[in-house]
Amino acid sequence: MAEIGRDGERLEDHEVRWRDRQALLESKGYMLRSRLHPEWVPSWTTTPRNPTACEDFEPLPLRPDLVDATRIVDNQLVYVKRVATGGEELKIAQFLNREVVRNDSHNHSVPVLEVFQDDEDPAISYLVMPFLRLMDDPPFSHVNDVLEFVDQTLEGLVFMHSQGVAHRDCARKNLMMDSSAIYPKGYHPVQLDYTPDFTARAPMIPRLGVWPPVKYYFVDYGISVRAPTGEQALVIGDLGIDQEVPELSRTVLYDPFKVDVFIIGNVFKKELCEKYTNLDFLKPLAETMTAKRPEGRPDAEDVLKQWYHLRAGISFMGRGGVLRPTNAQGSPPIIFDIIAFLRLGILLSRRMMAWTLHWLKLTCRD
């Protein structure tokens, strides 16, 4: 049952559970928002501000096992996830973050910053990760944004499969990005369009204007499996966000690696090809990846090879083009092309300047 906090403010059940672990998290170096502190008094009761303008008015989103926090030592925003101690989700996340592969540029598994057990229930552990945003939040704006996303997603899938791991749930909500470079002044963990102090809109830089490019990650290994090297993995089960995968079954064994190919292909199809009119180059690959019969789909490595071939045929101007939404009204294609040309020059200048500064720092360090 939900609990009524001081001055009548309501904390939901999932908030109460995290509030009761606030002291533990603080002792480990992570601070929850003031709303989740045991001694919390709603700020709007001591100031004349409207409650909706107060940072602590925003409730924790209903994701019972997930909470945002700030790492005390460097003020970095993180996610803390409640997981089963010794469970497969934790084992796979740690396996993909072991020292020998952690810094591999093709490894796009969400970084594991720390793991620690609950101080009251040893069956519960806490997995600390960087705070990430959905792959398309903010939305893609240029063709090059899509190219970067497809590059990293397929490279990450090939890497994951090379480690014997099949994700099984790599749909849009489990493909996220580190947006720290896009939001240089940060943002609020609940109201993502606002600054951390909730006083203004968070300033944003387009993806094309930052260097190095934003990085995309696979998250949530809740139903993932790991096959020993050289062994084939066959599974059963119909769980997962994408229920369009044809072979999902509670009784008939299927190949989870081919499921991953379908799910990523469906992301390309539904979230990219169907939303923008100038991504026709991606459609053949998406169709191949979402073949109804698993044996008709290429494996992840072949998908990546096909993608590199397709990508090579995209011109420089094409890469800098502004994405054209399928529901756009009024502006003819030539307008998008003019905007693309002007913005491309500005954004590439910013990226070149950022790269030069980065190079100078490295040179001075040496």
Side-chain angles (χ1 to χ4, degrees), residues 230-249:
E231 293 187 16
Q232 182 182 22
L234 294 175
V235 300
I236 57 172
D238 60 358
L239 298 178
I241 297 169
D242 190 344
Q243 289 294 299
E244 294 184 7
V245 182
E247 62 264 34
L248 293 185
S249 172

Side-chain angles (χ1 to χ4, degrees), residues 237-366:
D238 60 358
L239 298 178
I241 297 169
D242 190 344
Q243 289 294 299
E244 294 184 7
V245 182
E247 62 264 34
L248 293 185
S249 172
R250 295 182 182 181
T251 57
V252 180
L253 291 167
Y254 57 84
D255 182 348
F257 295 95
K258 288 298 183 75
V259 167
D260 282 356
V261 170
F262 182 97
I263 295 173
I264 294 295
N266 223 16
V267 169
F268 294 165
K269 182 187 294 186
K270 299 293 179 78
E271 305 300 332
L272 300 174
C273 297
E274 293 182 5
K275 289 186 176 181
Y276 303 101
T277 62
N278 52 335
L279 295 179
D280 287 349
F281 59 83
L282 185 56
K283 288 181 179 179
L285 185 64
E287 291 297 330
T288 299
M289 295 173 70
T290 54
K292 187 172 182 180
R293 296 175 62 84
E295 56 269 27
R297 300 171 210 149
D299 61 23
E301 194 169 352
D302 285 337
V303 170
L304 183 59
K305 290 177 182 177
Q306 291 180 40
W307 166 243
Y308 284 156
H309 178 74
L310 292 170
R311 195 188 199 284
I314 303 171
S315 69
F316 175 77
M317 279 301 297
R319 297 180 185 200
V322 174
L323 289 172
R324 303 170 187 165
T326 54
N327 58 357
Q329 297 179 357
S331 298
I334 186 63
I335 298 299
F336 286 99
D337 292 336
I338 294 172
I339 294 173
F341 181 78
L342 295 174
R343 293 183 68 181
L344 181 62
I346 295 171
L347 294 172
L348 287 181
S349 296
R350 288 180 181 172
R351 178 172 283 198
M352 182 62 70
M353 183 178 296
W355 183 89
T356 302
L357 290 173
H358 177 70
W359 180 81
L360 288 173
K361 286 180 181 179
L362 292 177
T363 303
C364 294
R365 187 182 303 168
D366 294 339

Side-chain angles (χ1 to χ4, degrees), residues 159-173:
F159 176 85
M160 193 189 317
H161 286 188
S162 76
Q163 300 298 306
V165 174
H167 191 286
R168 300 180 67 196
D169 202 18
C170 45
R172 171 181 173 268
K173 289 186 177 180

